Amino acid sequence: MAESLHIGAKPGEIAETVFMPGDPLRAKFIAENFLEDAKCYTTVRNMLGYTGTYKGKRVSVQGSGMGMPSMAIYSHELIEVYGCRNIIRIGSAGSYQEDVNLKDIVIAESASTDSNFQYTYDLPGSFAPCADFGLLHAAWHSAEKLQHPVRVGNVVSVDVFYDDDPDTWKRWSKMGVLAVEMEACALYLNAARMGAKALAMMTISDNFVTGQRLTVEEREKGFSDMIETALGMTEYL
């Protein structure tokens, strides 16, 4: 068994299906409010992780931190060390389209990027990171059952939050990119390389076109539809 440098859980403590919010306190919130018999398996670096059950299905929820390097570390260890097979990112994103509104759920069918992450694989071209269709299908059915409208399409995972060019987003918007976030591409690349399944879904927290944005409190508490949709996927896995 490979060594886990950043999680430190014991073998068998993490489920095959893991939901990954960026904020470890959101992982704690999900564990305490949505899971039964949830037990904390890691507090390393305060990147909290829990395992419990949701409607009888064993699942884990693990913070990923912010950005592709952090997501890459945690998802890599979950797959390689703990044998996790399904990893679902549940986070926030900024809308690049006028009709993708605050609190809408966006499912990343694919993840473009401005990062050099993929070049570590020395591929003879540009790789197109995409979601696992089975997980995407499960998420779609879960949202349909719960009557939570979702948008499915391309998102872009970026390395820089405070962009020096305030109009960079417009070029991605012209290509039909639905939203911007900072983790999905790294998750999809790790899953592809390591033979696991991955999906990213995000709640829209701000809109670059209209200038609207959720408050900090709304960001913390307004993501219940996405959480229910993600956990509802377990019925179809």
Side-chain angles (χ1 to χ4, degrees):
M1 182 177 179
E3 184 180 5
S4 169
L5 299 176
H6 304 90
I7 298 176
K10 297 176 182 177
E13 287 189 322
I14 304 179
E16 286 194 355
T17 296
V18 183
F19 298 92
M20 295 192 75
D23 184 350
L25 291 181
R26 191 171 295 151
K28 183 175 186 286
F29 174 83
I30 293 168
E32 292 177 346
N33 292 275
F34 291 88
L35 303 187
E36 294 182 359
D37 300 321
K39 292 180 174 58
C40 182
Y41 58 75
T42 184
T43 59
V44 177
R45 295 174 180 252
N46 284 327
M47 195 58 69
L48 305 174
Y50 299 82
T51 296
T53 60
Y54 181 76
K55 296 185 177 179
K57 298 288 184 68
R58 188 170 184 262
V59 299
S60 294
V61 56
Q62 167 71 54
S64 73
M66 292 187 289
M68 282 181 274
S70 188
M71 168 58 85
I73 288 170
Y74 286 101
S75 60
H76 184 102
E77 292 186 13
L78 287 172
I79 296 167
E80 181 178 49
V81 180
Y82 298 103
C84 301
R85 307 313 304 157
N86 305 308
I87 300 181
I88 299 100
R89 161 164 158 68
I90 45 177
S92 59
S95 170
Y96 277 175
Q97 302 297 330
E98 187 171 9
D99 63 345
V100 179
N101 302 307
L102 298 185
K103 297 186 180 181
D104 281 357
I105 300 170
V106 169
I107 298 176
E109 183 177 21
S110 55
S112 299
T113 191
D114 62 5
S115 172
N116 290 325
F117 189 101
Q118 67 169 297
Y119 296 116
T120 188
Y121 302 116
D122 196 26
L123 296 168
S126 296
F127 184 77
C130 58
D132 174 78
F133 180 75
L135 293 183
L136 195 158
H137 197 244
W140 179 267
H141 277 296
S142 176
E144 191 174 53
K145 182 176 181 179
L146 293 167
Q147 298 184 331
H148 295 329
V150 296
R151 297 289 297 272
V152 179
N154 194 2
V155 305
V156 59
S157 302
V158 299
D159 276 342
V160 177
F161 187 88
Y162 296 108
D163 199 322
D164 193 54
D165 179 356
D167 292 326
T168 298
W169 69 270
K170 294 179 181 179
R171 297 194 285 278
W172 291 109
S173 178
K174 286 179 182 178
M175 297 301 293
V177 170
L178 297 181
V180 59
E181 54 85 72
M182 302 186 74
E183 290 83 27
C185 183
L187 173 60
Y188 287 4
L189 285 168
N190 268 356
R193 178 65 180 85
M194 303 174 76
K197 300 177 181 180
L199 182 74
M201 65 170 65
M202 288 74 61
T203 297
I204 296 299
S205 60
D206 54 289
N207 187 301
F208 280 71
V209 183
T210 66
Q212 295 176 305
R213 61 180 58 200
L214 299 180
T215 65
V216 172
E217 184 177 359
E218 287 172 329
R219 286 172 185 253
E220 291 177 351
K221 299 179 180 178
F223 294 172
S224 59
D225 286 356
M226 174 187 60
I227 294 168
E228 290 174 356
T229 298
L231 291 172
M233 292 170 60
T234 57
E235 180 180 345
Y236 306 96
L237 299 181

